[in-house]
Amino acid sequence: MKTIWEQSREFLINAFQSLGLAWWVEIATQNPKCTYYFGPFLNSAEAKAAIKGYVEDLEQEGAQGIIVNVKRCKPEVLTIAEDLGERIDRKVQPAFSGQM
């Protein structure tokens, strides 16, 4: 069962996301030439704290030339594979399912 804080936090993140005010980690790689979005987060500190894990995962997959940016945005898709000329259909879903 979720606490009141967890329920409030989920509501805030979803509200921020719908307004384009949520924080996201944007990671661009040169090889493969892709852009990834991870989030949404309630604030930049939470997003920055998550960077290390995302970068480690990409490095283990062999990604090179990693550039990280934390920003407020509202990405339409979570992965853009530029070298393949495609936008991978991983559409942004609500941060939480809404089950309480």
Side-chain angles (χ1 to χ4, degrees):
M1 181 163 207
K2 295 181 182 178
T3 66
I4 292 172
W5 166 245
E6 289 171 329
Q7 292 174 11
S8 299
R9 185 174 182 284
E10 290 175 9
F11 175 80
L12 283 173
I13 289 174
N14 286 329
F16 279 25
Q17 175 59 17
S18 68
L19 297 170
L21 298 175
W23 290 89
W24 287 79
V25 176
E26 177 189 68
I27 300 180
T29 60
Q30 294 303 309
N31 188 18
K33 191 156 182 63
C34 293
T35 303
Y36 305 92
Y37 291 93
F38 300 96
F41 296 94
L42 193 55
N43 57 54
S44 63
E46 289 179 3
K48 289 176 184 175
I51 290 172
K52 182 180 177 185
Y54 299 138
V55 170
E56 286 175 354
D57 286 347
L58 289 170
E59 287 175 338
Q60 286 178 351
E61 293 175 10
Q64 298 174 339
I66 297 172
I67 300 168
V68 180
N69 189 21
V70 173
K71 64 182 183 178
R72 280 185 161 152
C73 63
K74 191 174 179 180
E76 292 181 22
V77 293
L78 301 179
T79 303
I80 302 168
E82 298 169 29
D83 57 351
L84 301 175
E86 64 183 56
R87 297 168 75 93
I88 298 173
D89 192 18
R90 290 192 323 148
K91 299 250 185 217
V92 176
Q93 301 295 322
F96 302 95
S97 65
Q99 297 174 345
M100 294 181 200

